[in-house]
């Protein structure tokens, strides 16, 4: 009787931890409950914002809010509490979305996005990491190093509860480790999944999905000669990801046709910087 009870319990636990990745339908098993992940996202967000300058006004920020609203609508995450911040930092070519829907875009990434549709893709990509529970998967792998779930719960109560190296593992797993000098590359599988999800989200929100292919070219151009581009150094080659995206393009186009916005979302908002021949920094 006792053992049957135990089996029933562990089956329930497994069922709770089992979920499917949007669009690709990969089945995953996570050891870390969503509620803890959202808590970690919120706590990390607060500490991230303490160290940066935020652009609260201006058209760039208004565009970010608009794109954010549209992508969040199609991502359908009733438990997320969405927020989008434009971080004033021209040297950082990056963006992130923490579990729970806290999003940061650095001004340095804008020229690679070039236009609203490009922004919608990268937003969809980052949101995809969150909705596909990639942070939880990466943290699950490192859970013993963090003292298990108890370590994460302690961090939620008091962020100094973890040793600096443990904190670095946590932030790295959430995709914001660059700020503490640790980069944990998302696996190629996670990146490909997020690319697909990002394309589907952008198309569903009314943006032409083919723009996503151009983002990688501009990202590579932009990073040429400048400080290490976080976005690229932690990601697979842009050629590989373009190949993967092309396979999904027809499906994304169908979604776009049903939802296309009634104005030009590919009009240039953030041109690439002029090449002066002189390398920056
Ligand atoms: Zn990514």
């Amino acid at each position: 009787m006792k053992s049957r009870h135990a089996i029933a319990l562990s089956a329930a636990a497994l069922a709770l931890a089992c979920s499917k990745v949007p669009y690709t339908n990969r089945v995953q098993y996570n050891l870390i409950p969503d509620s803890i992940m959202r808590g970690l996202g919120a706590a990390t967000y607060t500490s991230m914002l303490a160290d940066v300058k935020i652009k609260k006004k201006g058209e760039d920020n208004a565009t970010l809010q608009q794109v954010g609203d549209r992508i969040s609508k199609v991502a359908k995450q009733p438990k997320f509490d969405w927020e989008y911040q434009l971080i004033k930092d021209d040297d950082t070519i990056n963006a992130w979305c923490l579990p729970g829907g806290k999003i940061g875009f650095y001004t340095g990434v804008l020229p690679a996005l070039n236009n609203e549709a490009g922004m919608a893709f990268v937003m969809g990509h980052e949101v995809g990491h969150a909705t596909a529970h990639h942070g939880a998967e990466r943290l699950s792998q490192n859970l013993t190093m963090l003292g298990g779930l108890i370590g994460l719960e302690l961090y939620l109560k008091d962020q100094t509860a973890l040793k600096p190296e443990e904190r670095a593992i946590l932030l790295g797993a959430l995709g914001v480790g660059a700020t503490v000098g640790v980069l944990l590359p998302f696996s190629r599988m996670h990146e490909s999944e997020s690319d697909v999800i990002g394309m589907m989200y952008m198309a569903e929100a009314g943006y032409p999905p083919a723009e996503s292919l151009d983002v990688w070219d501009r990202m590579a151009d932009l990073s040429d000669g400048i400080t290490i581009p976080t976005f690229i150094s932690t990601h697979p080659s842009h050629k590989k990801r373009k190949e993967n995206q092309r396979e999904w393009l027809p499906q994304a186009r169908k979604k776009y046709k049903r939802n296309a916005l009634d104005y030009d979302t590919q009009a240039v908002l953030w041109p690439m910087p002029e090449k002066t021949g002189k390398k920056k920094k």
Side-chain angles (χ1 to χ4, degrees):
M1 197 62 189
K2 235 181 193 174
S3 65
R4 213 198 285 167
H5 204 82
I7 289 165
L9 258 179
S10 57
L14 257 184
L16 271 178
C18 170
S19 53
K20 260 189 190 176
V21 172
Y23 300 108
T24 70
N25 290 325
R26 177 173 65 89
V27 176
Q28 57 186 182
Y29 300 93
N30 275 321
L31 299 170
I32 307 170
D34 277 353
S35 56
I36 288 199
M37 289 309 295
R38 287 195 301 273
L40 292 174
T44 302
Y45 182 64
T46 309
S47 73
M48 295 285 292
L49 292 191
D51 302 332
V52 294
K53 276 195 182 143
I54 300 293
K55 269 185 119 172
K56 289 214 159 113
K57 288 180 184 161
E59 286 194 8
D60 294 348
N61 182 52
T63 305
L64 181 74
Q65 303 303 317
Q66 169 164 284
V67 172
D69 280 346
R70 288 184 180 143
I71 295 295
S72 64
K73 227 166 252 163
V74 300
K76 295 190 186 80
Q77 298 292 322
K79 290 195 172 153
F80 277 26
D81 184 13
W82 299 95
E83 268 181 50
Y84 326 96
Q85 305 286 359
L86 188 59
I87 297 162
K88 227 179 142 180
D89 177 352
D90 290 339
D91 290 332
T92 303
I93 307 172
N94 205 10
W96 40 258
C97 173
L98 290 162
K102 308 297 189 195
I103 290 167
F105 269 66
Y106 297 84
T107 49
V109 81
L110 295 178
L113 311 179
N114 186 266
N115 56 58
E116 211 183 308
M119 180 180 263
F121 169 60
V122 170
M123 172 97 57
H125 172 99
E126 297 305 332
V127 168
H129 281 307
T131 58
H133 310 286
H134 290 162
E137 276 187 323
R138 301 207 299 177
L139 268 187
S140 299
Q141 292 164 2
N142 294 312
L143 205 53
T144 46
M145 285 192 258
L146 298 166
L149 279 179
I150 292 163
L152 295 181
E153 274 162 357
L154 280 176
Y155 176 84
L156 286 177
K157 286 200 191 87
D158 173 10
Q159 283 169 47
T160 56
L162 297 180
K163 290 183 200 136
E165 61 269 27
E166 291 167 339
R167 188 168 172 269
I169 289 170
L170 170 69
L171 298 185
L174 296 181
V176 293
T179 54
V180 288
V182 175
L183 285 177
L184 286 187
F186 276 102
S187 70
R188 180 159 290 167
M189 178 185 70
H190 282 172
E191 287 313 325
S192 302
E193 282 179 0
S194 273
D195 284 345
V196 171
I197 298 167
M199 267 173 82
M200 296 304 178
Y201 283 168
M202 79 184 288
E204 190 103 39
Y207 295 100
E211 182 66 35
S212 66
L213 300 169
D214 295 338
V215 168
W216 297 130
D217 292 335
R218 289 191 297 261
M219 202 77 89
D221 275 359
L222 192 64
S223 58
D224 187 31
I226 312 183
T227 41
I228 300 170
T230 316
F231 206 90
I232 288 199
S233 62
T234 60
H235 291 60
S237 86
H238 77 288
K239 247 189 203 160
K240 281 245 166 65
R241 49 204 315 174
K242 277 168 76 175
E243 279 166 28
N244 171 52
Q245 277 170 246
R246 274 204 193 92
E247 282 174 34
W248 288 82
L249 201 52
Q251 227 175 299
R253 279 210 170 104
K254 276 185 205 156
K255 282 185 189 295
Y256 167 61
K257 278 197 182 129
R258 285 197 296 269
N259 301 295
L261 292 162
D262 60 358
Y263 64 94
D264 182 9
T265 59
Q266 288 168 295
V268 180
L269 298 177
W270 308 289
M272 290 288 274
E274 300 259 328
K275 284 204 173 158
T276 56
K278 181 168 65 171
K279 284 185 179 178
K280 225 176 137 186
K281 262 193 194 167

